[in-house]
Amino acid sequence: MVILNFTLTPEAASKIHDLLVCLGKFSDTVAIEARRDKFAFTALNSSKSAYAALTLDGKHFFSSYECIPSHGGPDGRFTCSMYTKALLSVFKGRLYDPLGRDGAIDRCEVTVQERADETQCRFIVKMVCNQGVIKTYKLTYEAVEVMHALFDRNVAKNRWSMHASAMKEYTEYFGTKTEMLDIFAGEDGRAVFKSYTEKISNGKEILKHPLVTAVAVNTSDFEEFNVQPGLHIIISVKDFKAIVAHADTLKTSLKAFYSHPTRPLQFSYGCDGLLCEFTLMTSGEYNGATMTPTPAPQIASRANSRAQSAATENRSVRSEMPPPVEPASRRSERRRISGQKRAASPKPQADHESLFVNQEEEDARWEPVDYTNEEETLGWDASADRDAANFPTFRDTGSFSRQETTDSNEGIAPSQRVSQIKGLW
Amino acid sequence: MRFKASIQNITTFTKLTASLNSLGPLAWVKLSDDQVCFTIIPEQGTQVWAALSIDTIFETYTVQSAANNVINLEVPLGPLNRALKSALNATSAQIRLTKKDSMPLLALTIVTTSSSNSYSAFPTGASNDGGLDAPFDDSFGGGNRETIITQEVPVRVLAPDTVAGLHEPQCREPDVHIILPPLLQLKSISDRFTKLALAGARSGPGSTASRTRLEMAANMHGCLKMSIKTDAMSISSVWTDLSNPELDPGQVAGGEIGISEHPSTRMKLLGSADGRSEEGWASVRIDGRDWGKVMSVGRLGGRVIACFCHEHALILYVYLPSDNGEDESVLTVRDLALAFLITPLNN
């Protein structure tokens, strides 16, 4: 029997929305792990190539937080797993709105109901809105064991950090359908972020090859840049974009830690009691250049001391199991397949996060209309529901029989609802 | 084979590729000493023949090849447009033809400088214009960030004899030529018409008629009529007071006599300026969706002349706005940038 109650300010609730949007890009389900002093969302993607852990500090993130796990003493935890989409439909966008418009809340209270005297176990979210409206959502969850990916920052001697907004700007140059991102530390004082796709090379298919984009950034523009010159490291560009987009919502700096290709890479950022860590699988050299696993000594020593200090002050126990190490030969293959699979599934929400917005809106007027899109009906009364359309008459108390109307209900819907027209007579 | 140029007018080039991309995914691009031609011939739908003078989009332009310094390329418009978009606020942008792993590609090299406190890859409505924000730069980690972006667009190089047979189709002299009203207005109305027609078509039994028949008509008295008819309805919009440009005797075969015998001269005798007369209309039935795609060219902001050959063809000529302050009322062949050959529907 666990006790888990916490309260969120509107700002914190909207941060939960943002992080769920980000986690949704990795996995359909999100795991929750609550401890006495902190709360974490974790997600592992289906190919197990990316692991995300977003830790919310009990004291700083929440306006109140109480968690007493049923067993395990001070180290005990409560874990469960939920559909990301289900949580997202509760933690909608615009929960925080200083003007108090539609959707804005006053606070958010969450409790977990897991008691022997209750028939149902539920994750209960209460959105206390303005004007005394309270929306209560009861979500089901699945009890699971939560695994953690282990990442040893002492070994990750290559590190850089940059403001997420700048990094977001760079990701916007990337073509839309690319799969891989090669992060390359040049020897000329530049770091190159290159998005590309493995070759499809036969005849006409060449032209379908997505854009290859390389963004060269002066290392002096980084807040910190300590990477062995000449080192290439490859991750999934989609993962990177998702991480950068989320980091950008927090307006913080994105830090990267890695050792060498085929070893995990970690991105880390956070503020105001929220710490985000993404551990990603990396793959080998693009263009097959040889690489030396040992970094230059002076960088190593500096990075080392930094890492140790970071590790000591850093979070507590990480005793759990790392994800299984895959054979290197299979890794890139799998990555590619999963990339394609994900690309196939429509992700409409990716669009409105882009900074293209203004440009696109301007452009959209000139785009040919997609008539197959059912959502976009005629300019007037797009919300006409089927029921209204079933009445061929202008009177609510239509004297026509239903029989007759079913034949004609496939015609063009009336341009206004009857109720709206009433005032005219 | 060498092609290298710096892009002088990124906005125009971007809008051009975006407009063309609505009509077909691939364009044939012909680079020669004096012009750049874009041709799109989709399997069905509207053909586009565009010929731009070099300085419309490029400067410091070099093209060299064994075939009379002409290079023919097949270019995917989507990626090209995407690549050009990333150059929208560039300080400089270069394009060149190159090879990587024996695959030809157009490489765009874009240099952008963004001040440290404006983090946005693309110009937004309220973009800060450097000068005003300069004082803040130093407080934020030392001035401007210079970024070099390389975009590689895969292309196919076409042999001269592959494209030898490509010629812009000839059409008889038009019955009516007219300057179209603002395309955004025209587009929003035609889009609505098409939607209505489709909504009607969906309900019909065995609704496979995916084509919507838009009837375009114009007379020599400044009227344009757009109408759509289905079993259930008939709607039309009429524009009046448009202008029918005068023909230039120098451009018409036969000079003054040619003009007096020109079909449009005869059409002038028929019809009226209020658009109510049944006579004097040259009309063409086209697919509403095709039309919607063509209207996408409006983003270039040029003037558009529609030439109607009654029940035979509709051709739109787009004249790009020139910034050299010439008299806008005279449109010369030199200003002509794009020709859209809209396929009429049979019967």
Side-chain angles (χ1 to χ4, degrees), chain A residues 129-253:
Chain A
C129 307
N130 301 330
Q131 281 97 34
V133 176
I134 299 175
K135 300 178 187 166
T136 308
Y137 302 85
K138 295 186 177 181
L139 306 175
T140 52
Y141 61 84
E142 186 184 347
V144 289
E145 261 313 293
V146 173
M147 291 205 299
H148 292 281
L150 207 62
F151 185 81
D152 184 2
R153 286 205 186 163
N154 292 316
V155 188
K157 304 221 169 10
N158 296 301
R159 44 191 63 193
W160 49 259
S161 114
M162 183 176 242
H163 199 280
S165 315
M167 202 48 88
K168 176 131 190 280
E169 173 190 326
Y170 302 141
T171 62
E172 281 170 1
Y173 293 119
F174 296 159
T176 42
K177 286 176 194 141
T178 47
E179 291 167 5
M180 313 293 225
L181 177 73
D182 175 12
I183 302 169
F184 169 61
E187 276 146 35
D188 54 351
R190 282 181 182 279
V192 181
F193 293 82
K194 178 172 179 176
S195 87
Y196 67 100
T197 306
E198 308 257 276
K199 301 227 160 35
I200 318 160
S201 49
N202 54 333
K204 212 135 167 110
E205 292 292 292
I206 288 174
L207 295 183
K208 290 189 180 155
H209 205 268
L211 214 54
V212 175
T213 308
V215 179
V217 184
N218 285 320
T219 51
S220 58
D221 290 333
F222 286 80
E223 285 157 5
E224 183 200 353
F225 194 85
N226 276 322
V227 181
Q228 179 202 343
L231 182 71
H232 286 272
I233 196 145
I234 297 164
I235 55 174
S236 147
V237 74
K238 279 190 74 167
D239 293 351
F240 184 69
K241 276 184 171 176
I243 294 164
V244 169
H246 180 238
D248 182 50
T249 64
L250 298 175
K251 307 278 169 239
T252 59
S253 289

Side-chain angles (χ1 to χ4, degrees), chain A residues 162-163 165-176 190 194 199-201 203-204 206-218 220-221 223 241 286-287 355-356 358-360 362-369 371-372 374 376-380 410-412, chain B residues 18 22 26 74-76 79-80 82-83 85-86 88-89 100-101 103 112 114 118-125 140 144-156 183-184 187 190-192 194-196 198-200 202-203 233 288-289 292-293 295-296 298-299:
Chain A
M162 183 176 242
H163 199 280
S165 315
M167 202 48 88
K168 176 131 190 280
E169 173 190 326
Y170 302 141
T171 62
E172 281 170 1
Y173 293 119
F174 296 159
T176 42
R190 282 181 182 279
K194 178 172 179 176
K199 301 227 160 35
I200 318 160
S201 49
K204 212 135 167 110
I206 288 174
L207 295 183
K208 290 189 180 155
H209 205 268
L211 214 54
V212 175
T213 308
V215 179
V217 184
N218 285 320
S220 58
D221 290 333
E223 285 157 5
K241 276 184 171 176
Y286 180 60
N287 286 345
L355 279 190
F356 267 131
N358 288 311
Q359 202 68 38
E360 296 284 284
E362 158 87 28
D363 278 2
R365 299 188 302 176
W366 292 114
E367 288 304 325
V369 176
Y371 295 105
T372 52
E374 290 282 345
E376 221 183 290
T377 50
L378 301 176
W380 45 82
E410 287 181 321
I412 304 170
Chain B
S22 335
L26 296 174
E74 189 171 27
V75 181
L80 178 62
R82 173 82 202 180
K85 268 187 179 167
S86 56
L88 279 177
N89 60 355
K100 201 166 85 182
D101 305 336
M103 293 219 310
T112 67
S114 29
S118 81
Y119 292 120
S120 158
F122 301 97
T124 52
F140 204 111
N144 292 337
R145 294 175 293 127
E146 188 192 67
T147 311
I148 301 170
I149 302 130
T150 344
Q151 300 274 23
E152 294 171 356
V153 182
V155 295
R156 275 208 314 157
L183 293 205
L184 195 56
K187 182 180 189 297
S190 65
D191 284 349
R192 184 149 296 185
T194 310
K195 262 183 203 172
L196 279 171
L198 282 172
R202 261 199 286 273
S203 66
M233 64 177 168
R289 295 182 207 223
K293 291 176 186 170
M295 285 297 101
S296 171
R299 71 182 95 207

Side-chain angles (χ1 to χ4, degrees), chain B:
Chain B
M1 194 175 286
R2 279 181 53 170
F3 163 59
K4 189 177 179 186
S6 55
I7 304 172
Q8 187 233 161
N9 199 335
I10 291 163
T11 326
T12 307
F13 199 6
T14 312
K15 288 179 176 173
L16 175 75
T17 50
S19 309
L20 297 180
N21 193 28
S22 335
L23 292 154
L26 296 174
W28 290 312
V29 179
K30 181 175 154 193
L31 301 158
S32 60
D33 282 331
D34 56 342
Q35 54 177 214
V36 190
C37 302
F38 292 85
T39 307
I40 298 177
I41 306 182
E43 278 175 27
Q44 64 170 36
T46 305
Q47 290 187 14
V48 191
W49 295 80
L52 298 138
S53 57
I54 302 298
D55 56 13
T56 316
I57 39 180
F58 296 127
E59 59 184 3
T60 59
Y61 170 94
T62 38
V63 58
Q64 286 171 8
S65 81
N68 291 322
N69 294 339
V70 172
I71 296 177
N72 282 290
L73 301 174
E74 189 171 27
V75 181
L77 288 165
L80 178 62
N81 181 239
R82 173 82 202 180
L84 286 167
K85 268 187 179 167
S86 56
L88 279 177
N89 60 355
T91 43
S92 80
Q94 276 211 335
I95 189 167
R96 69 199 158 84
L97 184 63
T98 177
K99 260 187 183 184
K100 201 166 85 182
D101 305 336
S102 79
M103 293 219 310
L105 48 92
L106 280 175
L108 256 88
T109 309
I110 298 151
V111 181
T112 67
T113 347
S114 29
S115 58
S116 309
N117 56 344
S118 81
Y119 292 120
S120 158
F122 301 97
T124 52
S127 70
N128 43 23
D129 41 5
L132 286 173
D133 295 319
F136 298 103
D137 285 351
D138 294 330
S139 62
F140 204 111
N144 292 337
R145 294 175 293 127
E146 188 192 67
T147 311
I148 301 170
I149 302 130
T150 344
Q151 300 274 23
E152 294 171 356
V153 182
V155 295
R156 275 208 314 157
V157 177
L158 304 171
D161 45 329
T162 317
V163 288
L166 277 184
H167 293 293
E168 184 170 344
Q170 292 290 309
C171 184
R172 69 172 167 88
E173 289 295 321
D175 299 308
V176 168
H177 46 263
I178 191 164
I179 297 187
L180 291 183
L183 293 205
L184 195 56
Q185 191 186 95
L186 207 52
K187 182 180 189 297
S188 53
I189 293 178
S190 65
D191 284 349
R192 184 149 296 185
F193 277 24
T194 310
K195 262 183 203 172
L196 279 171
L198 282 172
R202 261 199 286 273
S203 66
S207 57
T208 46
S210 62
R211 293 202 150 186
T212 51
R213 215 170 274 264
L214 196 62
E215 184 170 316
M216 302 294 300
N219 68 16
M220 283 303 285
H221 299 278
C223 301
L224 174 78
K225 184 160 70 183
M226 179 160 64
S227 42
I228 201 152
K229 278 199 188 84
T230 68
D231 294 344
M233 64 177 168
S234 158
I235 357 167
S236 71
S237 281
V238 180
W239 283 261
T240 55
D241 295 323
L242 302 174
S243 98
N244 303 97
E246 292 295 323
L247 293 172
D248 176 3
Q251 299 292 333
V252 177
E256 296 287 353
I257 306 160
I259 287 184
S260 68
E261 288 173 356
H262 195 272
S264 66
T265 314
R266 275 181 281 121
M267 290 297 275
K268 263 185 201 168
L269 303 174
L270 302 166
S272 62
D274 60 7
R276 289 189 188 162
S277 166
E278 291 287 313
E279 289 184 307
W281 295 99
S283 69
V284 175
R285 277 186 300 269
I286 52 174
D287 180 5
R289 295 182 207 223
D290 272 357
W291 177 258
K293 291 176 186 170
V294 172
M295 285 297 101
S296 171
V297 78
R299 71 182 95 207
L300 276 167
R303 289 218 277 169
V304 186
I305 296 183
C307 290
F308 288 79
C309 297
H310 186 58
E311 298 195 329
H312 178 67
L314 174 58
I315 305 166
L316 301 193
Y317 294 102
V318 179
Y319 296 79
L320 290 186
S322 55
D323 31 292
N324 48 11
E326 277 174 29
D327 184 1
E328 290 265 325
S329 64
V330 184
L331 296 168
T332 63
V333 179
R334 209 190 115 65
D335 297 323
L336 175 62
L338 300 100
F340 291 83
L341 280 62
I342 303 167
T343 331
L345 297 175
N346 299 324
N347 67 61

